[in-house]
Amino acid sequence: TYFTQPAGLWHLNEGGSSATTADASGNGNAGTLTPGATGTNTTAAQMWEATTKKLGAAAIEFDGTNDVVNFGSPAVLDDMQAFTLSAWIYPRTLGGGGAGRIFDKALDNTSANGWTLFFRGSAGLEYVRFNADFGTTDLLVDSAEGTITLNAWQHIALTWNGSTSAANAHIYINGVETAYGAATNNAAGS
């Protein structure tokens, strides 16, 4: 299916004390800021960082512990057969559990019954991973190590045609397709 507009478009730059972020796609799928009970952000207002490292009134700061923006499960985001995801990120740490989620529509970062795009690794060896688990469509794709830089802005994009072949998922960092590490079909629970 070809979409003439994005399924979702969240700028995440409203600021203030709002506990929601608007969907600029026209689909009306606002996100709810959900800070964790621990970490530096324990209220939605604390998740908005009004610094010079942003475009707009503010940027959302995830404290690396357990903060999320939940977009629910609107029909336009369910059972997507092919998609492109993109985000500007400024990771300060590898995130909670050593797996900094960028996007996911899954039960956890193993992609159980869905998909997830996140980064992980160790100092200087950070990489991006895409997992998908949709019944018979189980795959895992890793960018090469060292493709993510902590404490720096970078643009991350993923294109996937929805097939069962990991070769059809492509990761881009700052507009350039990455070299790859692992790429596995039938990788459920990876």
Side-chain angles (χ1 to χ4, degrees):
T1 303
Y2 174 77
F3 293 99
T4 58
Q5 71 179 40
L9 176 61
W10 300 276
H11 296 295
L12 308 176
N13 66 356
E14 291 93 334
S17 60
S18 177
T20 61
T21 185
D23 175 8
S25 73
N27 289 314
N29 299 312
T32 302
L33 279 66
T34 308
T38 61
T40 58
N41 302 329
T42 57
T43 69
Q46 290 172 327
M47 290 179 68
W48 293 111
E49 179 183 16
T51 72
T52 58
K53 298 177 182 169
K54 45 88 178 139
L55 178 64
I60 292 181
E61 177 183 27
F62 298 95
D63 64 18
T65 304
N66 48 13
D67 299 339
V68 299
V69 177
N70 187 334
F71 300 103
S73 188
V76 71
L77 298 178
D78 284 345
D79 302 320
M80 297 171 65
Q81 297 302 306
F83 54 81
T84 297
L85 305 169
S86 70
W88 281 98
I89 64 170
Y90 189 97
R92 292 185 177 110
T93 70
L94 290 176
R101 293 185 198 192
I102 301 169
F103 289 102
D104 75 39
K105 183 147 179 54
L107 299 176
D108 57 33
N109 66 6
T110 65
S111 75
N113 299 311
W115 53 264
T116 186
L117 179 67
F118 59 101
F119 58 92
R120 62 185 317 167
S122 59
L125 300 176
E126 294 84 3
Y127 61 94
V128 176
R129 171 172 282 177
F130 173 65
N131 278 5
D133 175 10
F134 289 105
T136 59
T137 308
D138 299 331
L139 56 95
L140 172 149
V141 178
D142 288 346
S143 70
E145 292 180 333
T147 53
I148 292 292
T149 304
L150 295 181
N151 301 305
W153 282 106
Q154 51 236 288
H155 184 262
I156 307 298
L158 167 86
T159 63
W160 179 45
N161 71 357
S163 76
T164 59
S165 172
N168 292 315
H170 302 276
I171 299 170
Y172 299 85
I173 300 177
N174 296 324
V176 177
E177 187 168 10
T178 67
Y180 293 97
T184 309
N185 299 320
N186 300 314
S190 297

